[in-house]
Amino acid sequence: MKEALTVLVTGGNRGIGLASAKLFADAGHRVAVTSRDPDVTDDRIFSVACDQTDSDAVDVAFAAIEAELGAVQVLVANAGITRDQLLLRMSDDDFTEVVDTNLNGAYRVARRAARPMLRARWGRLIFISSVVGLLGSAGQVNYAASKAGLIGMARSMARELGSRNITANVVAPGPVATEMLASLTEEQRTTITSQVPLGRVAQPHEIAEAIKFLASESAAYITGAVIPVDGGLGMGH
Ligand code: NDP
């Protein structure tokens, strides 16, 4: 990257988000992370409490980040949750909570981030979807819907904001060794891993590398793309 940028990674207190935040910090960027529980101890990272299901909380968090680090130039909309359940047992709350966090939450932060990006005529919006957004996944009707929604949303932003030099792209990871994956049973993890052509799950930094690339000048002509980082699990979709 040509200069130090202000980067916000949502859901950055652990997992893929924290790995990405550390990678940006290693490269000398100004990095903020949000999460409901802001417990990051890395003193290079500005950690802010923000529940992204609340638009007012998003506004407050952005104001704090702008005061500390300047306007957000790179947004990594990474925060997400699962509430897995078979369709007939899924409650309205299970569905709504996942979509409100993963899709509506990403919309809230992207809308807030876009305003100063438009003024600056430069920005990078990077959304963390999932291989299951395209493949579907039994027991994840809510989660897959939210992750598929991110793709249509990002591509609409790519069309709307492209003339101002703002790109909007999606990273679609396969299984990654984080707390989210740890919440599955051993049997579920073994089944998923057996379907991955590379025969293993990813480490968080392997997703972070793709995110960092999309934020870089090398990716200046990439917008509306869905970049799979999935060991081949989703290929062909
Ligand atoms: P983790 O569960 O380790 O981290 C999720 C992050 O999201 C945490 O920082 C959490 O912080 C934050 N978060 C959750 N709800 C909210 C909220 N309402 N407001 C703000 N922050 C919130 O997950 P991963 O690192 O594994 O996942 C990161 C992203 O990658 C997610 O979007 C996930 O769907 C996606 N992904 C993960 C895969 C995997 O196998 N791990 C595969 C494909 C995609 P806190 O709880 O403190 O709020």
Side-chain angles (χ1 to χ4, degrees):
M1 279 168 249
K2 59 180 182 352
E3 62 194 56
L5 299 167
T6 298
V7 181
L8 167 60
V9 183
T10 68
N13 65 349
R14 59 174 187 265
I16 295 168
L18 182 59
S20 306
K22 284 179 182 289
L23 202 59
F24 281 114
D26 290 345
H29 298 296
R30 300 176 290 275
V31 183
V33 298
T34 54
S35 54
R36 290 166 299 180
D37 182 10
D39 53 356
V40 175
T41 51
D42 188 323
D43 58 12
R44 301 170 305 165
I45 296 173
F46 182 56
S47 181
V48 184
C50 175
D51 182 338
Q52 66 178 29
T53 62
D54 175 350
S55 293
D56 292 338
V58 168
D59 263 341
V60 170
F62 267 80
I65 293 162
E66 285 162 354
E68 188 75 16
L69 305 178
V72 172
Q73 294 162 294
V74 176
L75 171 69
V76 182
N78 163 78
I81 58 168
T82 52
R83 293 279 180 279
D84 295 355
Q85 190 53 271
L86 294 172
L87 175 63
L88 297 189
R89 291 194 196 138
M90 188 169 286
S91 68
D92 285 358
D93 281 352
D94 289 335
F95 190 89
T96 306
E97 209 181 315
V98 167
V99 173
D100 195 30
T101 302
N102 299 5
L103 180 58
N104 302 14
Y107 152 73
R108 289 184 189 97
V109 292
R111 181 183 58 180
R112 181 58 182 76
R115 201 180 309 146
M117 287 179 184
L118 280 164
R119 245 182 265 126
R121 293 180 168 267
W122 197 93
R124 295 277 194 270
L125 300 169
I126 301 164
F127 298 91
I128 311 308
S129 176
S130 164
V131 66
V132 311
L134 292 169
L135 279 186
S137 170
Q140 293 195 303
V141 163
N142 49 359
Y143 182 76
S146 72
K147 293 301 184 180
L150 286 175
I151 296 173
M153 190 172 82
R155 288 182 163 162
S156 301
M157 290 180 190
R159 292 188 188 281
E160 196 172 317
L161 307 175
S163 64
R164 303 290 184 92
N165 212 14
I166 298 168
T167 64
N169 290 293
V170 175
V171 174
V176 189
T178 68
E179 279 183 32
M180 188 174 274
L181 200 66
S183 68
L184 300 179
T185 64
E186 185 64 45
E187 193 188 345
Q188 285 172 315
R189 282 199 299 271
T190 307
T191 306
I192 292 171
T193 309
S194 71
Q195 292 164 353
V196 177
L198 286 180
R200 64 174 179 86
V201 303
Q203 294 303 312
H205 74 87
E206 296 181 289
I207 315 304
E209 291 288 355
I211 294 168
K212 186 180 157 197
F213 168 70
L214 286 171
S216 73
E217 273 307 307
S218 306
Y221 201 59
I222 300 176
T223 196
V226 179
I227 309 288
V229 189
D230 63 3
L233 177 59
M235 65 182 154
H237 292 269

